[in-house]
Amino acid sequence: MAFPPRFLEELRDRVSLAALIGRRVKLERRGRSHVGLCPFHNEKSPSFNVVEEKGFYHCFGCGAHGDAIEFVRRTEGSTFVEAVERLAAEAGLPVPAPDPAERDRFEREAKLRDPLEEATHWFEAQLAGSAGSQARRYLAERGLTPETIARFRLGYAPAQRHGLKEALTRKGVTEDLLVEVGLLRPGDEGGTSYDWFRDRIIFPIADARGRVIAFGARAMGDTQPKYLNSPETPLFRKGRTLYNLAMAREASRNANAVLVVEGYMDVIALAQAGIEHVVAPLGTALTEEQLQLLWRLIPEPHLCFDGDKAGVRAAQRAAERALPLLEPGHSLRFVLLPDGEDPDSIIKTRGRYAFDEALAGAVPLAELLWRSIRSSHPADTPERQAAFAASVRAMPEKIADPTVKGYYQKWMAGKLDEMFPAGRSRRPWKPGPSGRPGRFQPAPEVLRRIPGLESPRLRREQLILALVVTRPDLLGHVDEALSELQFGRPELDRLRHAVLEASARFPGLDSASLRRHLTDSNLGGVLDGIFRASAARYQKVFRPDVDLDEVWRAFVETSEMLRRDTLLAAELRQEEAALAEDMSEDKLFGLLSVKRQQHQTAAEPPVPPTDVSTGEQ
């Protein structure tokens, strides 16, 4: 939709940019500008400037730049039209129709939405009434609470051919209109039209603004197909819609993440468990349009598929479809569940923490593609190895962006070198002519990272966060140290930032209030995880009678260990790079020395074996 330039200028003039941005960013006045921490990247010193009189913002850290419309687009994941409409509504400015044809289309779509909303109310009433008793039992057996059912506006379509038709035509809705929006199916050979959905659980499907545009329906028995969607209409295009998009948009901004699952029930089960930044396609493989919708929300969405063959194939199809669309910074990560499991079953049998662990094991798009080629191309003979290598080299050619393509070619070439180390000795080095160690080619096993090294670092990060959440009075002494620590797990780093932000905004929070705040910020699952991991192992630290000085000492000692973990990881990367450039004995011994130090630190407990209640060693 093209808006008249004069209208856009008036809209920008009416909107206070500082007030709009100030709802999300704490701004301070400096001269003619307002300054704050950038909402588009993590920073400790403010580099985000809002210049009210010129109507733009600019971040000197990441380069983000734009006006009020662009700010709404980036922070809310909305389209240009949606951003303009939202700002115009706030400013009390009527949105002009660009031309008569566009105005007619807009008015027609508004007319089509009314019967869909009426149908939603009717389906909800049927679920709540006597006709919906079996459907209510089914939803209760699936573990859904009445609050969740109401939130997602679930309903029931009775096993009648004309129940919905008669209810809505009595309200003046014409049959033609009900057919056009997909609620009725025309009769064969000019016969009487009848209800499209019968004897099914109803899932309203909304657009990005939360307006009902279609329905999904699930059979409770053996009726096939098990799932049935509305046919495509002027309002509904299956390949351009994601289930739960409207509710997930706000949650995805808070969590800085978006999760894609396969079905309605997976979305609802996860949302009920506190994972609200979740959407699903509508019974088909992800389309290019749906991928673009996801990338408007977050640069690297997580795709979660059932752990069966169909789920693996769906992941591979999504990966291949994403390849031509990749841009710098935009990609996907994949959560591959155990065979026979889906998000709904994991939440029910093992709880939120088990699903968070599955999320933490997500693999990048490039790794999934590599695994896919390996699984479908045996490489047990020279000829098959050549075919495998050709497939690997051909894969990046599908990427349109030249920068991303180049990095993929380099990454895939490195994987091939690891798999087929041509000319490399199996020994760490070859003796020189004089018998002394000389130039060598280390075997791949030498360069491989030692498994389990992340475990002690992870335990230290969990313990540090558990300490400050249990004793928020500690934050006044360690907030600066906590802000400078480097956490390896993104979800723990988000929790660290949230703790620091809560401490700054609400001084004097007790532990219970802080936990409620963090849970309301969609971090409840991460909280549960750190306390499961830390409280049982180091329960003395969390006893209410422990002196604050002792808790502070545990924090400091654990922080020092974490800093050492971080330095060793950086040193290991440097030694690996040095070895890659100079295959000498000295460089090999340097790398092995750092790995030995990591082995030693891996054996240390996250805190010294001290009873912090008494200080005894």
Side-chain angles (χ1 to χ4, degrees):
M1 180 187 295
F3 296 99
R6 185 174 297 177
F7 163 75
L8 294 177
E9 290 175 6
E10 184 177 357
L11 177 62
R12 294 183 180 104
D13 289 341
R14 286 200 188 188
V15 173
S16 168
L17 187 60
L20 174 70
I21 295 176
R23 298 173 195 168
R24 295 184 174 274
V25 180
K26 184 178 180 181
L27 297 174
E28 293 181 5
R29 182 87 185 195
R30 290 188 187 174
R32 294 184 176 182
S33 301
H34 293 79
V35 180
L37 296 176
C38 180
F40 305 117
H41 80 288
N42 292 328
E43 60 177 8
K44 297 177 183 177
S45 301
S47 59
F48 184 78
N49 286 254
V50 180
V51 186
E52 180 78 70
E53 64 182 20
K54 295 185 178 180
F56 70 83
Y57 63 84
H58 182 81
C59 177
F60 292 95
C62 68
H65 182 93
D67 59 8
I69 298 170
E70 181 63 17
F71 185 83
V72 172
R73 286 183 66 185
R74 289 197 62 175
T75 56
E76 298 187 5
S78 57
T79 64
F80 179 82
V81 173
E82 290 170 342
V84 169
E85 289 176 345
R86 174 157 111 54
L87 291 173
E90 283 193 14
L93 192 63
V95 178
D99 57 57
E102 183 68 22
R103 183 178 62 249
D104 290 345
R105 185 184 69 81
F106 183 83
E107 291 175 353
R108 180 62 177 169
E109 288 184 356
K111 187 176 180 181
L112 293 177
R113 289 191 183 95
D114 292 338
L116 292 167
E117 184 63 29
E118 290 286 351
T120 303
H121 287 301
W122 190 80
F123 288 136
E124 289 178 295
Q126 300 310 301
L127 179 63
S130 57
S133 58
Q134 181 186 355
R136 291 196 302 272
R137 271 196 311 274
Y138 172 84
L139 294 173
E141 289 169 359
R142 295 295 299 263
L144 300 190
T145 65
E147 293 78 15
T148 297
I149 292 170
R151 180 185 176 192
F152 283 88
R153 304 191 68 184
L154 303 188
Y156 173 65
Q160 304 171 7
R161 287 181 63 85
H162 304 111
L164 175 66
K165 173 183 174 180
E166 292 175 356
L168 295 193
T169 53
R170 281 197 298 269
K171 293 189 174 185
V173 184
T174 66
E175 284 189 41
D176 289 344
L177 196 57
L178 292 173
V179 170
E180 188 174 3
V181 295
L183 289 171
L184 298 186
R185 184 166 185 168
D188 296 333
E189 299 180 358
T192 304
S193 60
Y194 55 91
D195 291 358
W196 177 249
F197 302 113
R198 300 187 303 279
D199 194 22
R200 290 175 180 267
I201 304 287
I202 297 295
F203 301 83
I205 300 168
D207 63 12
R209 295 173 62 184
R211 301 171 298 190
V212 176
I213 57 173
F215 299 95
R218 191 194 193 284
M220 291 175 287
D222 297 328
T223 304
Q224 294 299 323
K226 183 166 68 173
Y227 282 100
L228 185 66
N229 286 326
S230 293
E232 298 209 342
T233 71
L235 292 178
F236 175 54
R237 294 289 185 271
K238 187 186 302 185
R240 300 178 185 177
T241 307
L242 289 166
Y243 181 67
N244 196 45
L245 178 60
M247 287 195 283
R249 287 209 309 194
E250 181 67 30
S252 69
R253 290 193 295 273
N254 295 332
N256 194 31
V258 64
L259 176 65
V260 184
V261 294
E262 292 193 62
Y264 307 123
M265 290 302 299
D266 291 328
V267 168
I268 296 171
L270 289 172
Q272 183 170 277
I275 303 174
E276 300 182 343
H277 48 281
V278 56
V279 297
L282 302 173
T284 62
L286 275 174
T287 66
E288 288 84 353
E289 291 89 346
Q290 289 168 333
L291 287 169
Q292 296 292 356
L293 283 174
L294 292 169
W295 280 325
R296 284 183 201 156
L297 298 178
I298 206 77
E300 200 170 73
H302 282 55
L303 274 54
C304 179
F305 294 93
D306 296 351
D308 52 18
K309 292 181 179 179
V312 172
R313 286 196 299 271
Q316 292 170 348
R317 286 197 300 270
E320 292 169 1
R321 183 158 286 176
L323 271 180
L325 310 175
L326 295 180
E327 297 177 1
H330 280 181
S331 189
L332 300 170
R333 294 184 76 86
F334 291 82
V335 183
L336 302 176
L337 301 178
D339 190 17
E341 294 273 27
D342 58 37
D344 190 16
S345 67
I346 290 177
I347 289 291
K348 284 185 174 61
T349 58
R350 289 185 280 154
R352 164 75 183 268
Y353 181 65
F355 189 75
D356 285 340
E357 284 188 323
L359 288 179
V363 299
L365 172 61
E367 179 65 28
L368 183 92
L369 289 165
W370 168 261
R371 294 182 186 181
S372 175
I373 297 173
R374 284 210 62 178
S375 66
S376 59
H377 290 75
D380 54 345
T381 68
E383 296 83 3
R384 288 177 170 179
Q385 289 174 0
F388 169 77
S391 297
V392 170
R393 294 191 182 101
M395 188 274 297
E397 296 302 320
K398 301 174 184 177
I399 302 172
D401 186 277
T403 303
V404 178
K405 179 191 291 187
Y407 278 101
Y408 260 75
Q409 289 169 334
K410 183 178 179 180
W411 190 87
M412 288 293 175
K415 297 292 283 187
L416 283 173
D417 285 346
E418 289 179 10
M419 187 171 178
F420 307 121
R424 292 184 181 178
S425 169
R426 288 294 176 183
R427 294 185 298 174
W429 63 82
K430 293 179 180 179
S434 63
R436 297 195 307 272
R439 298 284 296 175
F440 69 100
Q441 294 290 339
E445 289 78 10
V446 174
L447 298 178
R448 199 170 293 151
R449 288 186 181 273
I450 300 169
L453 288 178
E454 291 300 322
S455 181
R457 179 177 179 178
L458 173 60
R459 292 201 303 272
R460 297 192 230 282
E461 291 174 0
Q462 290 171 328
L463 179 57
I464 284 170
L465 290 169
L467 287 171
V468 295
V469 172
T470 303
R471 297 293 296 270
D473 48 342
L474 182 66
L475 283 165
H477 306 280
V478 302
D479 54 346
E480 185 173 349
L482 182 61
S483 68
E484 293 174 353
L485 291 175
Q486 297 182 30
F487 279 25
R489 292 291 182 96
E491 68 275 13
L492 297 185
D493 202 45
R494 288 199 300 272
L495 181 59
R496 177 174 68 98
H497 281 291
V499 168
L500 290 168
E501 181 185 3
S503 174
R505 290 178 59 192
F506 310 110
L509 276 180
D510 59 16
S511 180
S513 300
L514 177 57
R515 290 194 197 198
R516 280 196 300 272
H517 174 79
L518 295 172
T519 300
D520 291 342
S521 301
N522 296 315
L523 291 166
V526 184
L527 270 180
D528 292 343
I530 65 170
F531 281 105
R532 280 197 191 94
S534 300
R537 195 178 283 120
Y538 312 109
Q539 55 184 324
K540 294 179 181 178
V541 183
F542 302 110
R543 282 181 3 199
D545 59 335
V546 173
D547 187 76
L548 181 62
D549 287 342
E550 300 296 343
V551 180
W552 172 82
R553 183 160 63 87
F555 176 94
V556 170
E557 291 170 338
T558 308
S559 300
E560 288 302 318
M561 292 181 179
L562 181 58
R563 288 191 185 94
R564 186 178 57 188
D565 293 337
T566 304
L567 291 174
L568 282 173
E571 189 175 348
L572 180 63
R573 288 193 295 271
Q574 292 175 357
E575 293 292 343
E576 288 176 334
L579 181 62
E581 293 181 3
D582 178 11
M583 295 290 187
S584 66
E585 178 186 357
D586 289 343
K587 292 295 188 291
L588 173 64
F589 286 159
L591 182 144
L592 294 178
S593 174
V594 175
K595 288 198 170 186
R596 278 194 294 271
Q597 292 180 62
Q598 287 194 316
H599 266 307
Q600 293 167 2
T601 61
E604 296 175 351
V607 292
T610 303
D611 184 340
V612 297
S613 64
T614 63
E616 296 176 0
Q617 295 286 343

